Amino acid sequence: MRIALVSDWYYPKIGGVASHIHSLALKLAGRGHEVSIVTNDLETGKEGELAEYGIELVRVPGRVSPVLGINLGQSVVSSKEMGSFLQDCDVVHSHHAFTPLALKAVKAGRNMGKATLLTTHSISFSYESRLWEALGLTIPLFSRYLKYPHEIIAVSRAAGAFIGHFTDVPVRVIPNGVDDGRFRPLSREEKEAVKDELGLEGRVVLYVSRMSPRKGPHVLLNAFQDITRSNDDVTLLMVGSGEMLPFLKAQARFLRMDDRVRFMGYVPGEELPKIFGIADLFVLPSITAEAFGIVILEAMASGVPVVATDVGGIPEVIRESESGLLVPPGNEPALRSAMEALLSDERLAHRLGENGRKAVEERYSWSKVVVEIEKAYEDALQKV
């Protein structure tokens, strides 16, 4: 098949959508498909890797908002013009349901007689609050565009329920995937080598995500303060960039535990597997708006037990895999208790970590997920 993956939110925009598209493109190309990524006219940092896999990078002209990461130029032109970038494909697969390139592409693809699909990665309008502030008045337009895909793929049942408010198009749930060859449990010797490299000792509690309010890193810091009082060998490793980073560093100093918290900032994707591999516990304290949480899969693939909040699509993954503990969002005492439970019970932590790795191998490995997506393409082609 000749497949076009279309989105405003490919690299250099960092996030789960970009990661999903990139991984999907590599897997599809590896399975013999002709793949192109249709996105904004920006340097992605992935040009070399895409060329190595024979994946074409199609750049759509137009001014890109530095705040929203969307193509402002394409938001005002016709879908017919968007079709000029999709001529040679059999399948048009858009990603993220509420951005200009994705919406224009599903209309263009359907009108051109292509198999047309859209993956929705969000579950609420707070997914990217600045985007909704800018586009809130255009909400009625979404339903007009969302009638065009032959099928919508949702990364979780929660995401499927959300998109159902805007369209009657059939929705199929296919979860995010993870490369379980890259993310894997490390041996004791490998862990010690990485810790020596990073200058770490003892146990590691890991957070990997944006430093933004909706991800709840400030809640995690407050809960971790009590952990330090009863555990003198635990370090909180916080990976990610974002608007809250200066505040969080000041918060750690105010709580007098800046020597127990390491802020690593942005870490390149190729470095993340070893970071996950040294963790004794992974925490994602999101307050709202998580459709899935790819970082949870990366922790599970690494054999690391998870503590996460009971929001959005997260419970679907944690409960069904029995890979961690769930707590109410914003509840510092509950978050602290869950972390203490896993830090104090090595057998429980090990069991949950093993469950997570098993679930990834059986359900969430990209080698499994890409087959499900191919089946969706084949079904859509039957409808053309």
Side-chain angles (χ1 to χ4, degrees), residues 72-110:
L72 298 175
Q74 289 300 313
S75 65
V76 296
V77 303
S78 69
S79 296
K80 185 176 181 180
E81 181 175 325
M82 185 67 194
S84 65
F85 302 100
L86 307 171
Q87 293 283 355
D88 297 331
C89 66
D90 305 309
V91 177
V92 175
H93 185 180
S94 287
H95 289 264
H96 194 39
F98 303 102
T99 49
L101 295 190
L103 291 173
K104 294 296 176 71
V106 292
K107 182 177 180 180
R110 187 63 177 267

Side-chain angles (χ1 to χ4, degrees), residues 75 77 79 218 292 344 350:
S75 65
V77 303
S79 296
H218 54 299
F292 193 95
S344 63
H350 181 71

